[in-house]
């Protein structure tokens, strides 16, 4: 059995109850085979793969908080500090009832390679809790965030581990957590990113993941003599990533006709009205039924369905495994040209393989949604300098970073004889840099 298969077997045995983690490791290890084969002796001797699949540490803690009626609740908090070979741990905090250790590990593992791809000095980590902010009052969310930080603060720091937002963790939650960190630690430092503009946040961070997704999609299309102009685009999700992906797609001349949330989806053949979507989701925190009620051209459907709409470009921006093999078949038969992941691992392994076999350009999330973490790293730089850059400056750097990621993943795929396989290119380019740093730093 080859080195990759041996390590994959060990991962499956040791983490049998964590299917999302196994899925992420399987995708990465399978696609870096050409590099591992070329360096097998050295990697084996130094146990590079065994070390990279095992987090540096996993922190799990109790988060007690009291609701508005005086009732106490207990949630579980997590922080997985995965790998800091190239910089301080960096990755978001997910607040969603589906969160358990396996989800945080899959996200943290992916984050190592994503962060490496940005070209910036950031390691990989992830955290979160099974707390659901939906339907909670601001005071309840504050109570949870303060309790969560009263444990987490022991393990993070501007040069150590810098968490950020993710599903369920937006500006409100980051604000409450930052306030508590400052109070407990007694320092004013860039320990979290995604902060408000009045206290160290970066312009363009809110837009960054969605904008970055469109910058890299545009770079790919241009490389193939095409552009986003006039393309019909379907987007899933209606959160931070989806909203700003829709906005930038429209600015680049595309027509976005769908969005979705966890209960239903919108088909709006005249194009999504971003201002209305922001009002419904960012201000009212309401369901998409309110969007449909306010817009004549929109149809609302219960459940899942955005991938049934005929399109040129599909952008999954909601959550993991939301685009399966049946969806992939529908997209292909409807003539899709590009699938670019805004969310983390939204496409199942089977669906990814099907899309690639059918010559669809497929951009994996670790490359295509890296704009968020890249801009978080730019927020860290501004905090260290105690300066704030303009929106145009940050946005310009983001565009450059995304174009560079496209170039690097494309070249890495070519170098190993896999031209056009951006999954392989992204994993190889991300892995090579981290592996080199780990080898240079010895067994630790
Ligand atoms: P948000 O919480 O802002 O939005 C998530 C959206 O996805 C919401 O519309 C939500 O619906 C929907 N959703 C969540 N869970 C499910 C589910 N199980 N089934 C169907 N729909 C669901 O999160 P973000 O936009 O920040 O994140 C979206 C994805 O992008 C995640 O995978 C995240 O890890 C990834 N990502 C985010 C980055 C960022 O900067 N924010 C950076 C890189 C990746 P509802 O409104 O009903 O909850």
């Amino acid at each position: 059995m080859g080195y990759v298969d041996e390590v994959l077997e060990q991962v499956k045995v040791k983490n049998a109850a964590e299917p999302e983690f196994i899925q992420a490791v399987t995708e990465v290890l399978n696609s870096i085979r050409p590099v591992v084969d070329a360096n097998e002796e050295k990697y084996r001797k130094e146990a590079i793969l065994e070390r990279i699949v095992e987090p540096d540490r996993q922190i799990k803690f109790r988060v007690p908080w009291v609701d508005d009626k005086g009732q106490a609740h207990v949630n579980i908090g997590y922080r997985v500090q995965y790998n800091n070979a190239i910089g301080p741990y960096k990755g978001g905090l997910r607040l969603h009832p589906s969160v358990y250790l396996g989800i945080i590990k899959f996200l943290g593992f992916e984050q190592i390679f994503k962060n490496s791809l940005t070209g910036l000095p950031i390691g990989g980590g992830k955290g979160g809790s099974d707390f659901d902010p939906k339907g909670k009052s601001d005071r309840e969310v504050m109570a949870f965030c303060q309790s969560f930080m009263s444990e987490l603060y022991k393990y993070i720091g501007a040069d150590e581990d810098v968490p950020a937002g993710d599903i369920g963790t937006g500006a409100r939650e980051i604000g409450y957590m930052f306030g508590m960190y400052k109070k407990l630690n007694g320092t004013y430092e860039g320990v979290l990113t995604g902060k408000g503009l009045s206290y160290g946040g970066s312009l363009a961070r809110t837009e960054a993941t969605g904008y970055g997704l469109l910058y890299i999609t545009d770079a790919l299309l241009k490389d193939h003599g095409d552009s986003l102009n006039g393309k019909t685009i379907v987007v899933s999700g209606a959160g931070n990533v989806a909203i700003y992906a829709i906005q930038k797609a429209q600015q680049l001349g595309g027509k976005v006709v769908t969005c979705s949330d966890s209960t239903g989806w919108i088909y709006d053949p005249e194009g999504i009205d971003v201002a209305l979507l922001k009002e419904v989701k960012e201000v009212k925190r309401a369901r998409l039924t309110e969007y449909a009620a306010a817009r004549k051209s929109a149809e609302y459907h219960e459940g899942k369905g955005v991938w049934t709409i005929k399109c040129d470009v599909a952008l999954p921006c909601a959550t993991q495994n939301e685009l399966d093999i049946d969806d992939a078949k529908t997209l292909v038969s409807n003539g899709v040209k590009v699938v670019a992941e805004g969310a983390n691992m939204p496409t199942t392994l089977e669906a990814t393989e099907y899309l690639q076999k059918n010559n669809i350009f497929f951009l994996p999330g670790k490359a295509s949604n890296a704009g968020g973490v890249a801009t978080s790293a730019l927020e860290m730089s501004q905090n260290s300098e105690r300066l704030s850059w303009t929106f145009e400056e940050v946005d310009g750097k983001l565009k450059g970073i995304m174009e560079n990621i496209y170039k690097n993943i494309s070249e890495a795929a070519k170098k190993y004889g896999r031209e056009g396989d951006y999954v392989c290119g992204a994993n190889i380019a991300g892995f090579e840099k981290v592996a080199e740093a780990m080898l240079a730093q010895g067994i630790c």
Side-chain angles (χ1 to χ4, degrees):
M1 202 188 269
Y3 184 34
V4 164
D5 293 309
E6 274 172 37
V7 176
L8 265 178
E9 271 316 300
Q10 287 166 22
V11 167
K12 285 177 189 163
V13 172
K14 278 195 196 165
N15 306 277
E18 296 170 355
E20 300 85 359
F21 176 63
I22 292 173
Q23 182 182 342
V25 176
T26 304
E27 185 221 273
V28 172
L29 294 200
N30 272 333
S31 64
I32 60 171
R33 279 176 196 273
V35 187
V36 176
D37 289 349
N39 296 279
E40 178 153 350
E41 204 184 323
K42 183 169 58 174
Y43 285 176
R44 255 187 200 277
K45 188 151 186 275
E46 304 240 358
I48 277 288
L49 295 186
E50 290 88 336
R51 286 197 283 143
I52 212 162
V53 297
E54 194 64 40
D56 288 354
R57 68 192 61 77
Q58 304 175 162
I59 302 146
K60 181 177 176 191
F61 49 97
R62 187 179 66 230
V63 189
W65 59 278
V66 178
D67 71 18
D68 288 345
K69 294 183 186 129
Q71 176 63 51
H73 299 266
V74 174
N75 287 99
I76 309 294
Y78 302 91
R79 186 72 185 163
V80 172
Q81 297 179 330
Y82 224 111
N83 185 302
N84 65 354
I86 62 168
Y89 306 107
K90 180 96 199 80
L93 297 169
R94 177 171 293 191
L95 301 183
H96 193 271
S98 62
V99 165
Y100 76 107
L101 188 60
I103 294 271
I104 302 298
K105 278 169 63 185
F106 117 64
L107 290 163
F109 183 69
E110 289 278 298
Q111 197 83 42
I112 306 170
F113 309 103
K114 180 191 304 193
N115 292 2
S116 166
L117 281 175
T118 65
L120 301 168
I122 38 178
K126 198 81 188 188
S129 171
D130 57 357
F131 173 78
D132 187 359
K134 246 183 243 157
K136 305 286 191 303
S137 70
D138 284 353
R139 197 212 58 82
E140 289 172 331
V141 170
M142 181 170 74
F144 167 83
C145 290
Q146 292 184 338
S147 179
F148 183 78
M149 189 50 84
S150 72
E151 185 64 28
L152 186 68
Y153 88 101
K154 298 170 190 165
Y155 309 102
I156 60 176
D159 294 317
E160 194 179 352
D161 182 356
V162 184
D166 190 70
I167 290 181
T169 306
R172 174 181 61 171
E173 291 75 16
I174 292 288
Y176 292 147
M177 289 183 197
F178 183 76
M180 197 60 184
Y181 178 87
K182 186 166 61 76
K183 185 180 170 79
L184 292 169
N185 210 48
T187 54
Y188 202 106
E189 55 177 296
V191 68
L192 289 159
T193 55
K195 298 187 290 299
L197 293 177
S198 58
Y199 62 96
S202 173
L203 285 161
R205 172 60 188 95
T206 307
E207 294 83 356
T209 309
Y211 278 23
L213 173 65
L214 272 297
Y215 289 145
I216 195 169
T217 304
D218 197 41
L220 174 142
L221 283 167
K222 287 199 171 123
D223 191 33
H224 293 89
D226 203 345
S227 83
L228 277 162
N229 200 22
K231 296 280 182 293
T232 300
I233 301 171
V234 297
V235 169
S236 65
N240 174 262
V241 180
I243 287 173
Y244 294 96
I246 296 171
Q247 188 171 73
K248 184 51 73 179
Q250 291 176 344
Q251 287 170 9
L252 294 173
K255 185 178 194 186
V256 182
V257 292
T258 66
C259 63
S260 65
D261 65 14
S262 49
T263 50
W265 58 287
I266 293 285
Y267 174 52
D268 192 341
E270 287 189 7
I272 296 291
D273 178 339
V274 180
L276 175 60
L277 185 62
K278 280 190 188 179
E279 174 70 18
V280 171
K281 284 293 174 186
E282 293 185 339
V283 182
K284 295 187 181 161
R285 296 179 190 269
R287 311 309 314 164
L288 283 174
T289 42
E290 292 215 12
Y291 177 96
R295 188 152 159 98
K296 250 193 180 159
S297 56
E299 293 168 16
Y300 175 80
H301 301 269
E302 288 288 325
K304 181 183 155 174
V306 297
W307 315 124
T308 60
I309 300 296
K310 189 171 163 49
C311 64
D312 304 302
V313 177
L315 305 175
C317 296
T319 193
Q320 64 273 0
N321 294 328
E322 54 164 316
L323 197 165
D324 62 21
I325 181 70
D326 294 332
D327 302 321
K329 285 181 179 167
T330 309
L331 284 168
V332 170
S333 66
N334 279 338
V336 74
K337 294 181 180 67
V338 180
V339 176
E341 296 184 325
N344 284 314
M345 208 170 75
T347 317
T348 64
L349 279 176
E350 217 186 349
T352 304
E353 279 164 21
Y354 184 83
L355 291 167
Q356 290 186 310
K357 272 193 193 125
N358 283 278
N359 299 320
I360 309 304
F361 294 124
F362 179 83
L363 287 172
K366 66 172 67 68
S368 47
N369 70 31
V373 74
T375 308
S376 279
L378 300 180
E379 184 175 329
M380 289 164 73
S381 303
Q382 293 170 76
N383 292 163
S384 301
E385 284 187 333
R386 304 213 189 285
L387 286 175
S388 296
W389 305 338
T390 62
F391 186 96
E392 290 68 29
E393 204 172 346
V394 181
D395 190 35
K397 286 189 199 303
L398 167 67
K399 189 163 184 278
I401 289 169
M402 298 313 295
E403 288 169 354
N404 211 31
I405 292 177
Y406 175 72
K407 186 167 158 277
N408 288 343
I409 66 174
S410 197
E411 281 172 3
K414 256 186 225 160
K415 182 174 153 193
Y416 287 95
R418 305 282 289 271
E419 186 164 356
D421 181 347
Y422 301 113
V423 174
C424 185
N427 286 327
I428 288 178
F431 170 79
E432 278 189 323
K433 181 175 171 190
V434 177
E436 195 182 317
M438 287 171 72
L439 289 170
Q441 291 168 24
I443 314 290
C444 56

